[in-house]
Amino acid sequence: MTTNDQRPTTNKVIVAIDGPSGVGKSTVSKLVARALDVPHIDTGAMYRAVGLAAKRAGIGTRDATALERLASNARIELVPGDPPRVLLDGEDVTALIRTPEISMAASDVSAVPGVRRVLVRLQQELGHHSGGVLEGRDIGTKVFPETPHKFFLTARPEVRARRRTNELLAKGEAADYGSVLADCIARDVQDSTRQDSPLTCDSSYRVVDTSDLTIPEVVERIVAAVSP
């Protein structure tokens, strides 16, 4: 697995942004990275790409041995830009990895210890090389537990489901609010109860409830907390 975003920098600040799906982690992380002038390391896209690859290869998302091999052999590239792109073995899969089906597949494969070991090692290499903003579910607890810059984003489930529904509709995809809400709740349970690196918020995090905040307001709070 490789990435095209390996810019050397003297600023090794690492910002961990964790939280459940639908709280705006990806959007916020990109904007925080831009404000701090460090790379955005899209860890969620890595797991989504592995989930898509598994679906295409007909590998069950519980087949730990095959999934670890798949993650080790997959060539995943994070291409910076506006918008950034995700390549899987040379193919642009940026849009393909953002469907509800692949979202659940990503949650499944992220629960496989072997897959996590492969991807976490690469995330750590990128972060130590150039610093960065990383978002996920265990960045502050497992990937970079030593960073002092940890933020846990949350929002009411109905708010998250509405945001996701609107996002899908804006892309021209069919979306039913009730189904999206059910998927959101199901993924919360799955992510919080998995054996390996469950979604966890401990006292080392600053909690930011995004339910009634705009994206710029969330970004401003995080940047102000990180900046000296």
Side-chain angles (χ1 to χ4, degrees):
M1 178 175 169
T2 61
T3 175
N4 284 345
D5 196 358
Q6 297 189 11
R7 298 169 292 170
T9 175
T10 57
N11 184 0
K12 293 297 195 298
V13 63
I14 293 175
V15 180
I17 300 179
D18 289 318
S21 61
V23 293
K25 295 191 304 293
S26 294
T27 301
V28 167
S29 296
K30 292 170 188 174
L31 294 174
V32 169
R34 183 180 303 170
L36 296 174
D37 193 27
V38 296
H40 170 242
I41 303 172
D42 191 347
T43 65
M46 296 177 183
Y47 288 105
R48 287 173 179 270
V50 173
L52 176 62
K55 288 284 187 183
R56 287 179 166 181
I59 298 174
T61 53
R62 307 292 183 178
D63 188 339
T65 301
L67 287 171
E68 181 175 2
R69 186 182 309 115
L70 179 71
S72 297
N73 294 331
R75 182 165 58 90
I76 300 172
E77 299 172 85
L78 306 179
V79 183
D82 190 14
R85 296 180 297 135
V86 181
L87 306 185
L88 174 61
D89 295 326
E91 177 191 355
D92 188 339
V93 296
T94 307
L96 298 177
I97 63 173
R98 298 298 176 183
T99 66
E101 178 186 18
I102 298 305
S103 179
M104 288 302 296
S107 182
D108 286 339
V109 301
S110 70
V112 177
V115 172
R116 298 199 68 81
R117 282 194 297 270
V118 171
L119 297 187
V120 165
R121 184 167 60 248
L122 289 164
Q123 292 158 16
Q124 290 170 332
E125 289 173 359
L126 289 172
H128 288 310
H129 175 268
S130 56
V133 178
L134 301 88
E135 95 277 351
R137 286 161 177 75
D138 65 348
I139 305 301
T141 56
K142 297 293 184 180
V143 185
F144 286 106
E146 71 279 8
T147 181
H149 308 304
K150 303 182 188 181
F151 302 88
F152 193 93
L153 305 190
T154 186
R156 297 185 296 275
E158 61 272 19
V159 172
R160 292 157 49 208
R162 178 59 63 193
R163 289 173 178 169
R164 182 59 178 157
T165 301
N166 291 340
E167 179 184 336
L168 292 171
L169 291 174
K171 294 178 180 178
E173 301 178 24
D176 172 71
Y177 170 77
S179 298
V180 173
L181 177 59
D183 287 344
C184 179
I185 294 172
R187 181 161 186 185
D188 283 353
V189 173
Q190 181 167 295
D191 289 345
S192 300
T193 59
R194 67 190 184 201
Q195 278 193 315
D196 190 62
S197 301
L199 174 66
T200 304
C201 177
D202 60 30
S203 60
S204 65
Y205 284 91
R206 294 175 184 242
V207 178
V208 181
D209 189 332
T210 71
S211 299
D212 302 309
L213 296 176
T214 65
I215 291 295
E217 288 172 335
V218 176
V219 173
E220 182 180 1
R221 290 191 182 191
I222 293 175
V223 171
V226 173
S227 301

